[in-house]
Amino acid sequence: LFGLVSCNISGPGNSCVSQTAYGNGVAHLFVRDLRTRVNPLRREMIYTELLTPIATGGMYALDAKVRANVDRVFRSTEVQGRLTSGFVPANNPAAPTLTAYDEVDFGLDLINTNNGWQSASGLFKATSNFNQLIVGNFKSNGSTPVIIGTGATYMDSIPSVFVDDLNLYFLGDAGKDKAVCLPFSVGTAATCVPPSGVSYAWREPSVSAAVLGTGPVLNVANTSTGIHAYTLTVSYNGESLVDQVNVTTIAPPTFTINNDVACPGSSLSYTIDFGLAKLDPGYSISYPGLTATSPAVINNGVLTLSGTPTSNGPSVIVVTGTQSYNGLTCPFTLTIPFQDCC
């Protein structure tokens, strides 16, 4: 039926299984309250502890094979899977009351007139580090729809469903908000995903609807200075979840040429654009291919320098330093060419 693993709960044959599965049977769950001599109201459920808790904010898929019990006159499609913590089976009545949980409703995919096995799945974003999985019907008798079929073998009034092949997959997430220099990556790679059917789409909606990447991790080599909101859409079996990460970063400075010809009596001049960032004190300017006749300075974003080219040095000016934005500081090296007027 299922095994306990960090990335999924499955039977033998799945490469992600890290612990022997608990049998190859099928769970037959009554989905309304049973009256017993021990307690007048009891309900059948599957319960298991996860080896590793799910991660808050992570996007997950819970899969199962489900089948309505059409042998009985009374039928129902109610069955859910809930991730929770603190559940004690021995101390809970028929329909346990869980104060915090994430849920997948398998009944949405279950047809109670079909006697064949059907694949059911659902996506959820973890709201806590839950470490337990419970499968069954959590709805009250009054909220559990029951239909009366025909041609069934058994006439009892307790509807039931069959459940098998439970799998819990971590599909990834967009990651935590951060401030980082270029280049950077966002997203958490999923180490164990379903064998097929998962797709990823990264976007920056405030800039464009274009898809920036189609994997669980997005690598960003260049962008503008600012706070960028990237969204990750994960789709699986017709459902989608969206996660967002905000990244503060600083782009390298750029320059425009005012005068790049080194001639006696004139100054080289360039406007350096730091965008939203500011140039920090302590920067350096080197010019190995130039004999300066006046010091190089950057004043209000304009670099000026006078001198004559040397015969063997490179015709470049190199500015090295750091720039800051919104509490983030990033190093940069800006190489600026010049020409010899001779």
Side-chain angles (χ1 to χ4, degrees):
L1 175 65
F2 58 82
L4 297 180
V5 295
S6 59
C7 56
N8 78 338
I9 297 173
S10 67
N14 190 308
S15 60
C16 300
V17 172
S18 60
Q19 181 173 317
T20 303
Y22 284 162
N24 292 318
V26 174
H28 181 198
L29 304 178
F30 289 102
V31 296
R32 286 169 69 99
D33 297 340
L34 294 171
R35 297 189 177 276
T36 69
R37 288 178 295 176
V38 177
N39 189 301
L41 297 178
R42 284 294 181 185
R43 187 148 320 172
E44 295 182 327
M45 296 195 172
I46 301 169
Y47 162 84
T48 187
E49 296 274 347
L50 304 180
L51 287 181
T52 302
I54 60 176
T56 302
M59 294 185 284
Y60 291 83
L62 184 61
D63 284 355
K65 288 290 195 304
V66 291
R67 180 170 73 86
N69 189 358
V70 296
D71 293 338
R72 285 174 163 75
V73 170
F74 292 89
R75 305 169 189 171
S76 179
T77 62
E78 294 299 334
V79 58
Q80 307 93 38
R82 287 185 177 181
L83 281 297
T84 190
S85 294
F87 174 69
V88 181
N91 296 334
N92 279 270
T97 301
L98 305 177
T99 58
Y101 58 87
D102 296 317
E103 181 178 281
V104 169
D105 192 342
F106 293 128
L108 298 176
D109 298 320
L110 183 58
I111 303 172
N112 56 23
T113 57
N114 184 343
N115 62 358
W117 286 98
Q118 299 162 72
S119 296
S121 67
L123 303 184
F124 67 93
K125 185 182 291 187
T127 58
S128 184
N129 298 111
F130 295 131
N131 65 342
Q132 297 171 318
L133 171 63
I134 309 172
V135 177
N137 178 29
F138 291 85
K139 298 180 181 179
S140 66
N141 281 358
S143 299
T144 300
V146 176
I147 69 167
I148 299 177
T150 58
T153 304
Y154 301 105
M155 300 294 291
D156 59 77
S157 61
I158 304 298
S160 60
V161 298
F162 294 96
V163 180
D164 198 5
D165 294 343
L166 287 165
N167 292 274
L168 176 61
Y169 297 106
F170 171 62
L171 303 181
D173 58 47
K176 298 184 182 298
D177 295 349
K178 59 185 177 180
V180 63
C181 301
L182 286 165
F184 60 83
S185 298
V186 288
T188 303
T191 56
C192 177
V193 297
S196 62
V198 182
S199 65
Y200 300 88
W202 286 93
R203 294 179 175 86
E204 189 176 1
S206 63
V207 176
S208 169
V211 175
L212 304 177
T214 56
V217 175
L218 176 68
N219 298 313
V220 179
N222 193 25
T223 189
S224 60
T225 297
I227 301 175
H228 297 264
Y230 296 99
T231 61
L232 171 62
T233 301
V234 177
S235 300
Y236 177 58
N237 281 354
E239 291 188 68
S240 295
L241 288 175
V242 179
D243 197 20
Q244 178 175 309
V245 61
N246 298 315
V247 181
T248 300
T249 193
I250 299 176
T254 60
F255 69 90
T256 55
I257 299 172
N258 301 321
N259 177 39
D260 67 344
V261 181
C263 291
S266 65
S267 296
L268 296 169
S269 177
Y270 306 86
T271 298
I272 302 178
D273 185 4
F274 292 95
L276 297 176
K278 75 175 182 63
L279 175 64
D280 297 325
Y283 61 86
S284 65
I285 306 174
S286 62
Y287 32 88
L290 195 69
T291 300
T293 57
S294 67
V297 295
I298 298 177
N299 188 15
N300 294 325
V302 178
L303 166 64
T304 56
L305 171 63
S306 297
T308 56
T310 61
S311 58
N312 55 1
S315 299
V316 294
I317 303 167
V318 180
V319 183
T320 303
T322 60
Q323 50 181 344
S324 299
Y325 169 75
N326 204 31
L328 175 66
T329 299
C330 293
F332 74 90
T333 297
L334 183 63
T335 302
I336 304 172
F338 66 85
Q339 304 179 62
D340 189 343
C341 70
C342 299

